PDB file of all heavy atoms in Angstrom:
ATOM      1  N   ALA A  53     142.966 111.382  41.458  1.00 98.00           N
ATOM      2  CA  ALA A  53     141.644 111.778  41.974  1.00 98.00           C
ATOM      3  C   ALA A  53     140.493 111.513  41.001  1.00 98.00           C
ATOM      4  O   ALA A  53     139.359 111.657  41.329  1.00 98.00           O
ATOM      5  CB  ALA A  53     141.697 113.285  42.295  1.00 98.00           C
ATOM      6  N   GLU A  62     140.093 100.508  43.170  1.00 98.00           N
ATOM      7  CA  GLU A  62     139.180  99.678  43.956  1.00 98.00           C
ATOM      8  C   GLU A  62     139.031  98.297  43.289  1.00 98.00           C
ATOM      9  O   GLU A  62     138.995  97.280  43.984  1.00 98.00           O
ATOM     10  CB  GLU A  62     137.802 100.373  44.055  1.00 98.00           C
ATOM     11  CG  GLU A  62     136.751  99.647  44.856  1.00 98.00           C
ATOM     12  CD  GLU A  62     137.187  99.285  46.297  1.00 98.00           C
ATOM     13  OE1 GLU A  62     138.185  99.868  46.784  1.00 98.00           O
ATOM     14  OE2 GLU A  62     136.569  98.391  46.870  1.00 98.00           O
ATOM     15  N   PRO A  85     166.373  79.729  32.146  1.00 94.00           N
ATOM     16  CA  PRO A  85     167.044  80.583  31.188  1.00 94.00           C
ATOM     17  C   PRO A  85     167.072  79.936  29.801  1.00 94.00           C
ATOM     18  O   PRO A  85     167.361  78.732  29.707  1.00 94.00           O
ATOM     19  CB  PRO A  85     168.456  80.734  31.754  1.00 94.00           C
ATOM     20  CG  PRO A  85     168.265  80.499  33.227  1.00 94.00           C
ATOM     21  CD  PRO A  85     167.149  79.527  33.359  1.00 94.00           C
ATOM     22  N   ALA A  92     155.971  81.696  28.014  1.00 98.00           N
ATOM     23  CA  ALA A  92     155.660  82.806  27.094  1.00 98.00           C
ATOM     24  C   ALA A  92     154.346  82.549  26.383  1.00 98.00           C
ATOM     25  O   ALA A  92     153.497  83.434  26.274  1.00 98.00           O
ATOM     26  CB  ALA A  92     156.799  83.006  26.102  1.00 98.00           C
ATOM     27  N   GLY A 103     141.605  90.344  25.829  1.00 97.00           N
ATOM     28  CA  GLY A 103     141.041  91.182  24.757  1.00 97.00           C
ATOM     29  C   GLY A 103     142.026  91.881  23.884  1.00 97.00           C
ATOM     30  O   GLY A 103     141.645  92.683  23.006  1.00 97.00           O
ATOM     31  N   THR A 122     144.814 107.354  23.062  1.00 96.00           N
ATOM     32  CA  THR A 122     143.996 108.194  22.198  1.00 96.00           C
ATOM     33  C   THR A 122     144.844 109.013  21.232  1.00 96.00           C
ATOM     34  O   THR A 122     144.341 109.670  20.330  1.00 96.00           O
ATOM     35  CB  THR A 122     143.117 109.158  23.042  1.00 96.00           C
ATOM     36  OG1 THR A 122     143.981 109.854  23.954  1.00 96.00           O
ATOM     37  CG2 THR A 122     142.063 108.379  23.836  1.00 96.00           C
ATOM     38  N   ASN A 124     148.889 111.253  20.526  1.00 87.00           N
ATOM     39  CA  ASN A 124     149.727 112.349  21.018  1.00 87.00           C
ATOM     40  C   ASN A 124     150.379 112.071  22.347  1.00 87.00           C
ATOM     41  O   ASN A 124     150.780 113.014  23.068  1.00 87.00           O
ATOM     42  CB  ASN A 124     148.925 113.639  21.134  1.00 87.00           C
ATOM     43  CG  ASN A 124     148.481 114.117  19.766  1.00 87.00           C
ATOM     44  OD1 ASN A 124     149.238 114.009  18.799  1.00 87.00           O
ATOM     45  ND2 ASN A 124     147.235 114.614  19.721  1.00 87.00           N
ATOM     46  N   GLU A 148     152.175  76.216  50.997  1.00 96.00           N
ATOM     47  CA  GLU A 148     151.696  77.333  51.805  1.00 96.00           C
ATOM     48  C   GLU A 148     151.927  77.048  53.262  1.00 96.00           C
ATOM     49  O   GLU A 148     151.683  75.927  53.743  1.00 96.00           O
ATOM     50  CB  GLU A 148     150.203  77.582  51.550  1.00 96.00           C
ATOM     51  CG  GLU A 148     149.899  77.778  50.073  1.00 96.00           C
ATOM     52  CD  GLU A 148     148.576  78.482  49.777  1.00 96.00           C
ATOM     53  OE1 GLU A 148     148.174  79.334  50.607  1.00 96.00           O
ATOM     54  OE2 GLU A 148     147.999  78.162  48.743  1.00 96.00           O
ATOM     55  N   ILE A 186     150.419 101.942  25.814  1.00 98.00           N
ATOM     56  CA  ILE A 186     151.086 101.126  26.811  1.00 98.00           C
ATOM     57  C   ILE A 186     151.397  99.747  26.166  1.00 98.00           C
ATOM     58  O   ILE A 186     150.478  99.095  25.638  1.00 98.00           O
ATOM     59  CB  ILE A 186     150.238 100.893  28.064  1.00 98.00           C
ATOM     60  CG1 ILE A 186     149.756 102.247  28.635  1.00 98.00           C
ATOM     61  CG2 ILE A 186     151.043 100.168  29.129  1.00 98.00           C
ATOM     62  CD1 ILE A 186     148.719 102.069  29.753  1.00 98.00           C
ATOM     63  N   LEU A 206     164.178  94.039  22.323  1.00 98.00           N
ATOM     64  CA  LEU A 206     163.060  94.972  22.324  1.00 98.00           C
ATOM     65  C   LEU A 206     163.489  96.373  21.898  1.00 98.00           C
ATOM     66  O   LEU A 206     162.804  96.998  21.063  1.00 98.00           O
ATOM     67  CB  LEU A 206     162.471  95.024  23.768  1.00 98.00           C
ATOM     68  CG  LEU A 206     161.174  95.805  23.941  1.00 98.00           C
ATOM     69  CD1 LEU A 206     160.016  95.032  23.342  1.00 98.00           C
ATOM     70  CD2 LEU A 206     160.911  96.039  25.447  1.00 98.00           C
ATOM     71  N   ASP A 214     159.403 105.321  24.500  1.00 98.00           N
ATOM     72  CA  ASP A 214     159.809 106.560  25.190  1.00 98.00           C
ATOM     73  C   ASP A 214     160.144 106.353  26.651  1.00 98.00           C
ATOM     74  O   ASP A 214     160.793 107.212  27.254  1.00 98.00           O
ATOM     75  CB  ASP A 214     158.671 107.604  25.063  1.00 98.00           C
ATOM     76  CG  ASP A 214     158.308 107.909  23.615  1.00 98.00           C
ATOM     77  OD1 ASP A 214     159.225 108.386  22.893  1.00 98.00           O
ATOM     78  OD2 ASP A 214     157.143 107.668  23.220  1.00 98.00           O
ATOM     79  N   SER A 218     160.052  98.251  34.613  1.00 98.00           N
ATOM     80  CA  SER A 218     160.115  96.839  34.899  1.00 98.00           C
ATOM     81  C   SER A 218     159.542  96.634  36.291  1.00 98.00           C
ATOM     82  O   SER A 218     159.940  97.330  37.241  1.00 98.00           O
ATOM     83  CB  SER A 218     161.571  96.354  34.855  1.00 98.00           C
ATOM     84  OG  SER A 218     161.655  95.041  35.353  1.00 98.00           O
ATOM     85  N   ASP A 220     159.724  94.534  39.135  1.00 97.00           N
ATOM     86  CA  ASP A 220     160.670  93.484  39.580  1.00 97.00           C
ATOM     87  C   ASP A 220     161.305  93.999  40.883  1.00 97.00           C
ATOM     88  O   ASP A 220     161.650  95.154  40.989  1.00 97.00           O
ATOM     89  CB  ASP A 220     161.729  93.288  38.486  1.00 97.00           C
ATOM     90  CG  ASP A 220     162.569  92.016  38.686  1.00 97.00           C
ATOM     91  OD1 ASP A 220     162.257  91.256  39.607  1.00 97.00           O
ATOM     92  OD2 ASP A 220     163.495  91.834  37.906  1.00 97.00           O
ATOM     93  N   PHE A 241     191.042  76.948  30.866  1.00 98.00           N
ATOM     94  CA  PHE A 241     192.464  76.670  30.763  1.00 98.00           C
ATOM     95  C   PHE A 241     192.616  75.233  30.232  1.00 98.00           C
ATOM     96  O   PHE A 241     191.929  74.309  30.704  1.00 98.00           O
ATOM     97  CB  PHE A 241     193.124  76.717  32.138  1.00 98.00           C
ATOM     98  CG  PHE A 241     193.000  78.110  32.809  1.00 98.00           C
ATOM     99  CD1 PHE A 241     191.829  78.455  33.484  1.00 98.00           C
ATOM    100  CD2 PHE A 241     194.031  79.026  32.741  1.00 98.00           C
ATOM    101  CE1 PHE A 241     191.705  79.699  34.061  1.00 98.00           C
ATOM    102  CE2 PHE A 241     193.930  80.257  33.351  1.00 98.00           C
ATOM    103  CZ  PHE A 241     192.753  80.617  34.007  1.00 98.00           C
ATOM    104  N   PRO A 244     198.126  69.542  28.531  1.00 97.00           N
ATOM    105  CA  PRO A 244     198.226  68.147  28.046  1.00 97.00           C
ATOM    106  C   PRO A 244     197.652  67.119  29.004  1.00 97.00           C
ATOM    107  O   PRO A 244     197.302  66.003  28.600  1.00 97.00           O
ATOM    108  CB  PRO A 244     199.754  67.973  27.917  1.00 97.00           C
ATOM    109  CG  PRO A 244     200.341  68.975  28.879  1.00 97.00           C
ATOM    110  CD  PRO A 244     199.383  70.137  28.932  1.00 97.00           C
ATOM    111  N   ALA A 257     196.480  72.649  34.179  1.00 98.00           N
ATOM    112  CA  ALA A 257     195.423  73.642  33.894  1.00 98.00           C
ATOM    113  C   ALA A 257     194.842  74.194  35.216  1.00 98.00           C
ATOM    114  O   ALA A 257     194.611  75.416  35.338  1.00 98.00           O
ATOM    115  CB  ALA A 257     194.309  73.045  33.070  1.00 98.00           C
ATOM    116  N   THR A 280     182.797  95.807  41.801  1.00 96.00           N
ATOM    117  CA  THR A 280     182.972  94.506  42.463  1.00 96.00           C
ATOM    118  C   THR A 280     183.428  93.444  41.479  1.00 96.00           C
ATOM    119  O   THR A 280     183.327  93.621  40.258  1.00 96.00           O
ATOM    120  CB  THR A 280     181.655  94.042  43.086  1.00 96.00           C
ATOM    121  OG1 THR A 280     180.725  93.776  42.048  1.00 96.00           O
ATOM    122  CG2 THR A 280     181.065  95.095  44.027  1.00 96.00           C
ATOM    123  N   VAL A 316     188.622  97.433  35.780  1.00 97.00           N
ATOM    124  CA  VAL A 316     188.736  96.196  36.571  1.00 97.00           C
ATOM    125  C   VAL A 316     188.806  94.985  35.637  1.00 97.00           C
ATOM    126  O   VAL A 316     189.562  94.031  35.878  1.00 97.00           O
ATOM    127  CB  VAL A 316     187.613  96.085  37.622  1.00 97.00           C
ATOM    128  CG1 VAL A 316     186.291  95.780  36.997  1.00 97.00           C
ATOM    129  CG2 VAL A 316     187.922  94.976  38.631  1.00 97.00           C
ATOM    130  N   ALA A 333     206.063  78.832  32.499  1.00 98.00           N
ATOM    131  CA  ALA A 333     207.452  79.083  32.815  1.00 98.00           C
ATOM    132  C   ALA A 333     207.947  78.153  33.956  1.00 98.00           C
ATOM    133  O   ALA A 333     209.093  77.708  33.958  1.00 98.00           O
ATOM    134  CB  ALA A 333     207.654  80.555  33.250  1.00 98.00           C
ATOM    135  N   GLN A 355     170.990 107.790  35.588  1.00 90.00           N
ATOM    136  CA  GLN A 355     170.059 108.854  35.200  1.00 90.00           C
ATOM    137  C   GLN A 355     169.751 109.658  36.456  1.00 90.00           C
ATOM    138  O   GLN A 355     169.880 109.138  37.581  1.00 90.00           O
ATOM    139  CB  GLN A 355     168.797 108.306  34.518  1.00 90.00           C
ATOM    140  CG  GLN A 355     167.829 107.595  35.464  1.00 90.00           C
ATOM    141  CD  GLN A 355     166.650 106.959  34.765  1.00 90.00           C
ATOM    142  OE1 GLN A 355     166.215 107.454  33.694  1.00 90.00           O
ATOM    143  NE2 GLN A 355     166.077 105.939  35.357  1.00 90.00           N
ATOM    144  N   VAL A 366     157.943 107.461  42.397  1.00 97.00           N
ATOM    145  CA  VAL A 366     157.953 107.838  43.812  1.00 97.00           C
ATOM    146  C   VAL A 366     156.548 108.291  44.255  1.00 97.00           C
ATOM    147  O   VAL A 366     156.068 107.898  45.322  1.00 97.00           O
ATOM    148  CB  VAL A 366     159.001 108.969  44.020  1.00 97.00           C
ATOM    149  CG1 VAL A 366     158.812 109.641  45.351  1.00 97.00           C
ATOM    150  CG2 VAL A 366     160.401 108.376  43.913  1.00 97.00           C
ATOM    151  N   PRO A 389     167.578 100.255  28.669  1.00 97.00           N
ATOM    152  CA  PRO A 389     167.096 101.599  28.331  1.00 97.00           C
ATOM    153  C   PRO A 389     167.909 102.703  29.035  1.00 97.00           C
ATOM    154  O   PRO A 389     168.216 103.712  28.373  1.00 97.00           O
ATOM    155  CB  PRO A 389     165.627 101.620  28.768  1.00 97.00           C
ATOM    156  CG  PRO A 389     165.435 100.383  29.617  1.00 97.00           C
ATOM    157  CD  PRO A 389     166.460  99.392  29.165  1.00 97.00           C
ATOM    158  N   ALA A 396     163.861 105.053  32.470  1.00 98.00           N
ATOM    159  CA  ALA A 396     163.437 103.706  32.893  1.00 98.00           C
ATOM    160  C   ALA A 396     163.595 103.587  34.395  1.00 98.00           C
ATOM    161  O   ALA A 396     164.473 104.149  35.003  1.00 98.00           O
ATOM    162  CB  ALA A 396     164.310 102.654  32.192  1.00 98.00           C
ATOM    163  N   THR A 412     164.203  78.039  48.309  1.00 95.00           N
ATOM    164  CA  THR A 412     163.335  78.321  49.422  1.00 95.00           C
ATOM    165  C   THR A 412     162.596  79.651  49.258  1.00 95.00           C
ATOM    166  O   THR A 412     162.048  80.175  50.213  1.00 95.00           O
ATOM    167  CB  THR A 412     164.187  78.415  50.716  1.00 95.00           C
ATOM    168  OG1 THR A 412     165.247  79.333  50.474  1.00 95.00           O
ATOM    169  CG2 THR A 412     164.767  77.057  51.108  1.00 95.00           C
ATOM    170  N   THR A 431     151.924 104.286  35.993  1.00 98.00           N
ATOM    171  CA  THR A 431     151.737 104.091  34.545  1.00 98.00           C
ATOM    172  C   THR A 431     150.793 105.172  33.975  1.00 98.00           C
ATOM    173  O   THR A 431     151.119 105.813  32.965  1.00 98.00           O
ATOM    174  CB  THR A 431     151.153 102.684  34.271  1.00 98.00           C
ATOM    175  OG1 THR A 431     152.078 101.720  34.762  1.00 98.00           O
ATOM    176  CG2 THR A 431     150.911 102.473  32.794  1.00 98.00           C
ATOM    177  N   GLU A 442     147.992 115.774  31.270  1.00 97.00           N
ATOM    178  CA  GLU A 442     148.974 115.482  30.220  1.00 97.00           C
ATOM    179  C   GLU A 442     149.969 114.423  30.723  1.00 97.00           C
ATOM    180  O   GLU A 442     150.178 114.301  31.951  1.00 97.00           O
ATOM    181  CB  GLU A 442     149.769 116.756  29.853  1.00 97.00           C
ATOM    182  CG  GLU A 442     148.937 117.819  29.184  1.00 97.00           C
ATOM    183  CD  GLU A 442     148.593 117.448  27.735  1.00 97.00           C
ATOM    184  OE1 GLU A 442     149.549 117.125  26.997  1.00 97.00           O
ATOM    185  OE2 GLU A 442     147.436 117.459  27.399  1.00 97.00           O
TER     186      GLU A 442
END
Side-chain angles (χ1 to χ4, degrees):
E62 181 55 17
T122 52
N124 295 321
E148 305 200 31
I186 308 171
L206 188 72
D214 301 300
S218 169
D220 194 6
F241 300 81
T280 66
V316 71
Q355 72 184 333
V366 164
T412 53
T431 299
E442 291 287 308

